[in-house]
């Protein structure tokens, strides 16, 4: 199909364009000389820093975080040696670190139930080349989204779900994540509870959109509860999924103003606009390696 | 003092300017013909509608609310008859209603503890003639604000407070509210808990500013808890005080964006900006009779 | 096609649901008694006011505006008499007025060039039943959007355009507007200049989205100029088209924050998000008869 | 006076607290190795990086900018040598650079005419210890603010101004700037035009607040013009003053929503809230050396 071919071509162009682009994320105990050491390392490895952001949680004995985006000619052939060299330096500073590369896009699975607005927004951004990912598969417990998903050349798997068959549903889902070699799971209004076993498979790899301004209205039916409380603003929150319901590290939040004339149905409509932009922003930042999780909070290097 | 005289002169001018201005607030079961009846009543009483807002909670058998601001020549002499006539009409429609008049400004008491930013903002708006009230008295459990308050010609009462002497403190406060003939109590970061007895004296007459986006972070130390949760937005909420802590009808809320670099001290600084504007807006709307309480929610006719 | 049938069914349901719903818009010189008269008229014609908004441009001799939404059983059969009766009342007050009915949705034409984001947003809202209109036709000087438009069962007309053939292009467009019986033209990033003759055909019936915060950056290439000026916010403006370029009555505006790191391409991306929500809001308000044009400004009864 | 003593004590504490804190701002042609060199330099001079932000205007041959905040024990005694050493490095990279020190607060002059809201906001933030400056003097062409300014222990100079005496007024002002050893001039709604000669004395040292969303409504009476145009948002802009009226590098902008009910007086009231927060933010960023001017635009390292 023409649409599919276009998207693939765009993806290939982007991979090509960024094939000499690398990113380095580092987390370690703070001490003098880290920036000097890391930046000298990159310079010695023919890499020019394009963008760099850092954060120290506490100037007195806190943790240090840095994200560097760099350009290096012929990176594809140099990266192996670079990683090997960096590993020695890393152990000296007790660093956790990660290299990622512009020509290796993350692979994404989108989980959705009936409400398609978040899925649609993600597909839209992806078609525009604004989501740095390959959408490997869409999984749903409803058939509604099959047509639009398949028309874009993305595999769609219908897996009916309810609490009685949760275990086998999740086994099938985990199998698919492996089959499609997925790096990131996006719960785009997927209205099923995940078991701890499932969540443990994907640490800091599941991004959810919750339809309230957390920690207000944790759990079910947040718009109804917002209406009943008479709040003047409603919100949405995108966060990594952990095994505490709606308590995972928050990546992004936003709100809109409402008033006494807005009934529950209006809140839901307004909320859909918030949800889709909040989830999309969070996913983008994750895909660009801008999010670091630390102590159940996120550092977001925008 | 010159400042004081200026403010009094400005207040007198405003009273003069609005002496033919009246407001009518009505709440009743919805039924056809209310607007026709009320607007005909005003027309028959030589009153021209300046502004009118209405709301029906539910088109099927809900409650009906209307706020009308009107102009009537020589209102001072006509109002008694007008109220008497309206009372008959009101009973026919089972109306709760209230007339207020432009030359009778509400009298306000501001309660404050150590943090002065909300008090300062209210005083500032009031000096500019933007708060439609006479600030009758400021009450504090600290001496810090005495100088600025008294320099504006406003009586300042220092009443030390703690939980052991709560009863006698509140008796003194109630006595002062009567002495100063106060219509509205503003808790401008007054950090003492009020007893149910005190609150019951002033139904829908106490406005508080809570330093969080309610219902998130009800209770103490909201900025610390916001910091610990890692939220990406912080907020403030202005609400009427009821005997459920931080559960009264919300009048106004607002937020600001924060990020991982903002420590608790930063959240407090940013929060002060939100608190002062949220409280001031809520107080303004109350003073202009724009807020109606219904079922622990507010209708705000902006 | 299933999508098309679903949308039509939804439209029919909405028409049914609102068939007893009417709206009355009135504009006249201000004088006492208008609200009383109009509300009594509706009451006498068995109509219950659901929502009412009014505005007086100047309490001293200004213009008066009111929008009333009402419910009336069997409105379809009563409306003719109602309109006849109102006409007499209207001439007494020198009223301009307009009745519209819930079962007569406005018919819309969307004009688009290459960038599809505004078209997509409108189609999306319309599919959700959130745009109170029948999209009668889409017209474009590019073929790009044909597939998506036709898949929703909407006629698509490709009319290549350039300044040399402007006259014949516009004749064809005007012919199509008549053929499709169109009430509203939406320029959803249609990048062709319209002649005064064309615009005069559709007074206050053409809504445009301009990709800047008007009156800043009137004319071409606003994002490039915003970038060069170093603004810290970019915006979009939806307005009625008149024969002064980008000078027509503004319906809605919004902005997003940008910073020094955002190059022209980033501004365009961020801008697309603003454009689509600003245009959609303006169109919604127009379709719900919430917008009144007066002296090259709009009164928007939200 | 007690207020004055308190503020001075707070300032001394802040100076003490930050006496080992330095900042380095660098601007140079981009080339590999800059970060490595600069960070190694700081490390070799016993300085630990607290915060670092950088920006490259164009990865292909653009300009490179970096702002580093660092901690160095006994900085007071080490800084001379540090600056000498850095100078050699700087010439190698063709760097423009600037060291500033935590114990040397910038000295500020505030210029104001009749409207005091921006002055008041700056004084308020300064009293709270939130403005990293010594307010050396306030200059006004009106007497209105004398009382409040002098009560805080700040010298107040009344210099009547009009276009006929502009030359001698500005000579007196320049003399005072020297006398008070001023680093930054803040035009806090100072409604006099400055001559090119005056502006040339203080390149990138004069911050103005313009009461519109620039480049909309350049020049006089922006609120009146915003009202006449019927905009739905109004704004304010803080910028460095150059000899092109309202065309200097923009530091910060913000907006508020307005609607058809807001007359010019309302726009002014709402605008005052925007102006005071926009100017205060811009001044804060300048004082913290977060703003770099480049090509009539600003890089703001928030």
């Amino acid at each position: 199909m023409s649409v599919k071919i276009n998207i693939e071509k765009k993806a290939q162009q982007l991979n090509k364009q960024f094939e000499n682009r690398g990113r380095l994320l580092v987390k370690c105990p703070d001490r003098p000389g880290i920036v000097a050491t890391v930046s000298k390392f990159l310079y010695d490895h023919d890499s020019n820093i394009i963008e760099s952001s850092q954060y120290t949680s506490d100037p007195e004995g806190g943790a240090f975080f840095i994200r560097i985006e760099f350009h290096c000619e012929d990176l594809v052939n140099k990266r192996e040696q670079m990683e090997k060299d960096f590993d020695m330096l890393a152990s000296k500073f007790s660093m956790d670190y990660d290299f990622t590369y512009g020509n290796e896009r993350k692979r994404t699975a989108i989980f959705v139930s009936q409400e398609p607005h978040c899925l649609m927004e993600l597909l839209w951004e992806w078609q525009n080349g604004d989501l740095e990912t390959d959408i490997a598969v869409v999984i749903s417990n409803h058939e509604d989204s099959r047509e639009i998903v398949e028309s874009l050349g993305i595999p769609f798997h219908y897996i009916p779900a309810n609490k009685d068959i949760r275990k086998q549903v999740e086994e099938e889902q985990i199998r698919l994540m492996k089959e499609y070699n997925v790096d990131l799971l996006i719960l785009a209004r997927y209205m099923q509870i995940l078991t701890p076993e499932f969540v443990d498979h994907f640490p800091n790899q599941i991004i959810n959109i919750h339809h309230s301004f957390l920690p207000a209205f944790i759990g079910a039916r947040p718009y109804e509860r917002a209406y009943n409380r008479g709040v003047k603003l409603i919100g949405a929150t995108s966060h990594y999924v952990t095994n505490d319901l709606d308590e995972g590290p928050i990546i992004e939040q936003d709100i809109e103003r409402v008033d006494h004339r807005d009934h529950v149905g209006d809140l839901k409509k307004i909320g859909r606009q918030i949800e889709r932009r909040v989830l999309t922003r969070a996913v983008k930042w994750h895909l660009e390696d801008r999010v670091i999780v630390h102590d159940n909070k996120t550092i977001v290097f925008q």
Side-chain angles (χ1 to χ4, degrees), chain A:
Chain A
M1 267 195 62
S2 65
V3 176
K4 191 183 164 186
I5 289 166
N6 273 334
I7 297 168
E8 276 179 6
K9 215 194 306 174
K10 202 178 280 187
Q12 282 164 14
Q13 286 167 349
L14 287 169
N15 281 348
K16 188 78 196 159
Q17 183 184 343
F18 292 115
E19 73 176 4
N20 290 323
R21 192 66 73 91
R23 289 178 198 141
L24 171 58
L25 271 85
V26 172
K27 175 172 159 177
C28 63
D30 191 28
R31 52 178 263 195
I34 306 174
V35 179
T37 306
V38 173
S39 52
K40 184 171 183 310
F41 174 90
L42 288 170
Y43 179 64
D44 291 344
H45 286 76
D46 304 324
S47 298
N48 195 19
I49 297 176
I50 303 290
E51 189 186 326
S52 169
S53 310
Q54 63 180 85
Y55 172 66
T56 311
S57 65
D58 183 350
E60 319 276 327
F64 173 88
F65 307 85
I66 193 164
R67 174 193 185 275
I68 296 176
E69 195 152 338
F70 60 91
H71 177 91
C72 176
E73 285 300 318
D74 197 26
L75 181 56
V76 177
N77 293 313
K78 290 180 181 160
R79 50 186 269 196
E80 200 181 327
Q81 187 62 43
M82 192 185 271
E83 291 197 32
K84 214 155 78 180
D85 294 350
F86 193 82
D87 201 59
M88 284 161 47
L89 184 156
S91 64
K92 194 177 131 201
F93 284 85
S94 310
M95 286 173 177
D96 281 344
Y97 72 95
D98 200 18
F99 278 94
T100 60
Y101 300 98
N103 65 339
E104 287 181 355
R105 293 150 63 95
K106 289 186 177 54
R107 294 177 60 79
T108 301
I110 303 178
F111 285 61
V112 65
S113 291
Q114 277 188 293
E115 290 210 61
H117 54 284
C118 288
L119 169 67
M120 293 293 282
E121 185 78 9
L122 291 167
L123 294 178
W124 168 256
E125 291 287 311
W126 174 74
Q127 284 177 265
N128 286 339
D130 290 340
L131 270 200
E132 206 179 271
T133 189
D134 295 321
I135 301 182
V137 61
V138 171
I139 287 173
S140 181
N141 55 334
H142 294 269
E143 284 282 11
D144 309 59
S145 306
R146 180 185 290 277
E147 192 177 321
I148 175 72
V149 169
E150 291 186 344
S151 79
L152 296 168
I154 302 167
F156 178 91
H157 288 263
Y158 167 59
I159 309 179
N162 64 58
K163 65 178 164 62
D164 299 330
I165 56 171
R166 188 158 289 155
K167 203 175 145 60
Q168 70 207 69
V169 164
E170 291 193 345
E171 276 167 9
E172 172 67 0
Q173 290 170 341
I174 290 170
R175 196 190 60 71
L176 284 168
M177 295 305 98
K178 279 184 196 143
E179 181 186 326
Y180 285 102
N181 198 19
V182 162
D183 303 296
L184 173 67
L185 286 69
I186 305 172
L187 308 184
R189 299 297 306 265
Y190 183 66
M191 309 308 282
Q192 295 288 318
I193 287 173
L194 305 174
T195 68
E197 291 71 36
F198 187 89
V199 172
D200 287 343
H201 259 83
F202 306 102
N204 297 335
Q205 286 179 288
I206 312 177
I207 295 182
N208 185 39
I209 179 72
H210 184 73
H211 39 316
S212 85
F213 182 93
L214 289 175
F217 309 122
I218 288 175
R221 304 176 69 77
Y223 290 126
E224 282 80 356
R225 289 152 65 205
Y227 175 75
N228 290 332
R229 181 61 187 93
V231 295
K232 299 299 184 185
L233 306 169
I234 59 168
T237 304
S238 191
H239 63 95
Y240 289 111
V241 175
T242 64
N243 278 318
D244 291 314
L245 180 66
D246 299 332
E247 296 280 5
I250 294 171
I251 307 168
E252 172 64 340
Q253 305 188 285
D254 208 346
I255 56 98
E256 288 283 340
R257 210 158 256 285
V258 296
D259 70 29
H260 60 270
R261 295 170 302 182
D262 295 308
H263 285 255
V264 174
D266 303 303
L267 300 192
K268 286 180 180 174
K269 260 186 217 182
I270 296 166
R272 285 202 290 261
Q273 306 283 347
I274 317 173
E275 293 164 32
R276 57 189 202 164
R277 72 171 181 257
V278 166
L279 177 60
T280 304
R281 273 187 222 144
V283 167
K284 253 185 219 183
W285 293 336
H286 176 95
L287 293 172
E288 297 173 3
D289 301 306
R290 297 186 178 280
V291 190
I292 299 177
V293 174
H294 181 64
D295 283 352
N296 206 46
K297 298 206 262 187
T298 63
I299 293 143
V300 181
F301 289 127
Q302 287 183 47

